[in-house]
Amino acid sequence: MTANAQPHNPAAEAIPVDDRSPMDTLPYWARATNPIVRRHLGLYWRTLPPEFEPILYVSGFWVLALLAGLVFPFVTDLATTVIVVSVLVIPVGIIFYLRALFSIAANSAAVMADEIRNNTMQLLMSTPMSLEQIFLGKVASALWRKMDDLVLIVQGAALFGPPLIIMHYAGLFPLRESGSLTYLLIIVMTITSLLRLVLEPLMFGMVGVGIGAFLPFRAIAMISSVAWVAFYFVLINMVQQLNLQFLSAALDGAREASELALQAANMRLALAFGLTIAIELVLPLLLPYALIRLVSGLLARQLRAS
C-alpha cells in the first residue's frame, strides 16, 4: 500500500451520495434551465432554486407543538405567545402574496398571447415536451420571476400562520372542551394553508396561459388574468365568511337548544361542520388542482384540433 492510499471503507460505499444540483431535483418543466422557460426569463434565470428544508422544519415544529399540546396544554399556550407578531406579519404577507399572484397571472397570459400572436406555438409543439409540459413551462417562467417573493411568503406563513389558525379554531371550538378534534383541525389547516401557497400560483398561472391562448392580445389578456385573480379571492372568501356565519349560528343553536330541539340542533351543527371541512380544507386544494387539469386539458385539445 502506498503512502497516499486510502483505507477501504465498505460503509462509505454503501451510503448513496446525491450530487445533483438543486435545480435538477425539480421537474424538467419547472427548471429555469429548460429552454422553454429560459427564453422568457431574461436575467431571472439566475434566480436560485427554493430551499424547502427550512419550511419543512418550521412546519414540523408547529405540528409537534400541537401534538404535544394534546397532552400538555400549556405548550399550545406558549406557542400562541407570538400571536401579536402574526397579526402584524400575516396581513402584510397577504398583500405581497396577492401582488405576486397578479404578476404571475399577467406574465403567464402575456407570454402565451405572444406565442399565439406570433404563430410560434406550432414550433413549440414540435419539441419532445408534451403540450401540458409546455403550458406548465410558461407558468414556470412567471413563477421564477417571483420566486424570491414566494419563498419568503411561504416561510412567513409557515412561521407565523399557525398562531392565527389556532386563534381561529379555538374561538369556535375551545381547546379545553373539544379535545383532540380542534387540534386535528388546526394541524390539517396548517398543512392545507401551505399547500395552497404552492397550488394557487400554479392555478393562476395556468388560467393566465388559457386566457392568453384565447385572447391573443397582450394587454387584454393581462388585464383579464388579473381580474380573474381578484374574482377568485373575492368569491372564495365570501363563501368562507358565509359558512363561518352559518357555523357560528349552528354552534350557538346547539348550546342554547332545549332537550326537544337538541337533535335538530345537533344535525344542523353536523351539517355546518361538514361544510366547514369541505370549504376550508378540501375546496382550497381540490379547486386549484381541478382548474389546472381542466384548463390544461381543454387548451391542449383545442391546439391539437387547430
Side-chain angles (χ1 to χ4, degrees):
M1 179 180 294
T2 62
N4 295 328
Q6 297 293 329
H8 180 66
N9 188 354
E13 293 179 358
I15 300 175
V17 178
D18 189 356
D19 58 354
R20 295 178 299 171
S21 68
M23 189 70 71
D24 294 336
T25 62
L26 299 174
Y28 183 69
W29 59 263
R31 300 176 190 175
T33 52
N34 176 356
I36 292 179
V37 177
R38 187 168 177 176
R39 65 195 290 259
H40 300 299
L41 288 183
L43 295 178
Y44 287 95
W45 74 272
R46 300 176 181 272
T47 303
L48 295 176
E51 292 287 343
F52 297 106
E53 287 188 3
I55 298 170
L56 294 176
Y57 290 152
V58 172
S59 301
F61 163 80
W62 279 111
V63 171
L64 291 175
L66 289 167
L67 291 175
L70 286 169
V71 182
F72 307 104
F74 71 90
V75 175
T76 305
D77 297 335
L78 290 175
T80 55
T81 55
V82 297
I83 187 68
V84 176
V85 181
S86 298
V87 171
L88 296 175
V89 171
I90 293 300
V92 176
I94 292 174
I95 293 173
F96 280 93
Y97 181 55
L98 288 174
R99 181 172 174 267
L101 292 179
F102 288 148
S103 176
I104 291 168
N107 285 326
S108 299
V111 297
M112 191 63 186
D114 290 343
E115 298 288 2
I116 300 299
R117 190 177 65 255
N118 296 331
N119 296 318
T120 53
M121 269 305 299
Q122 294 298 324
L123 180 62
L124 291 180
M125 291 170 65
S126 66
T127 64
M129 297 183 68
S130 66
L131 276 174
E132 289 78 8
Q133 290 176 322
I134 293 173
F135 302 150
L136 288 170
K138 300 292 184 185
V139 177
S141 68
L143 291 174
W144 278 107
R145 290 175 173 268
K146 305 302 295 184
M147 185 60 69
D148 292 339
D149 291 347
L150 289 174
V151 171
L152 288 175
I153 289 166
V154 175
Q155 290 176 347
L159 187 60
F160 298 109
L164 289 183
I165 296 173
I166 293 172
M167 183 178 69
H168 170 66
Y169 281 112
L172 295 171
F173 309 103
L175 297 177
R176 300 294 190 274
E177 299 175 10
S178 303
S180 59
L181 176 63
T182 305
Y183 285 92
L184 180 61
L185 275 175
I186 293 170
I187 291 172
V188 175
M189 186 61 184
T190 298
I191 298 172
T192 300
S193 64
L194 294 178
L195 291 176
R196 283 185 64 177
L197 297 179
V198 176
L199 285 174
E200 284 180 347
L202 284 172
M203 175 192 68
F204 290 121
M206 184 60 73
V207 173
V209 167
I211 292 174
F214 289 99
L215 295 175
F217 302 97
R218 187 183 180 93
I220 297 177
M222 293 174 68
I223 293 172
S224 300
S225 299
V226 170
W228 156 250
V229 175
F231 170 76
Y232 175 87
F233 273 100
V234 169
L235 179 63
I236 198 167
N237 280 285
M238 182 176 64
V239 171
Q240 289 175 343
Q241 289 301 317
L242 290 174
N243 176 71
L244 182 60
Q245 293 179 7
F246 179 57
L247 178 61
S248 298
L251 286 169
D252 292 339
R255 295 189 187 104
E256 299 171 1
S258 62
E259 293 185 3
L260 294 176
L262 185 59
Q263 183 177 0
N266 286 336
M267 291 180 61
R268 186 184 181 194
L269 179 59
L271 175 61
F273 185 74
L275 287 175
T276 299
I277 297 296
I279 292 173
E280 295 195 3
L281 302 180
V282 179
L283 185 64
L285 300 182
L286 183 61
L287 183 58
Y289 177 78
L291 283 175
I292 291 170
R293 302 296 299 178
L294 177 63
V295 173
S296 176
L298 291 176
L299 188 53
R301 184 181 304 176
Q302 179 67 26
L303 289 175
R304 291 191 185 103
S306 61

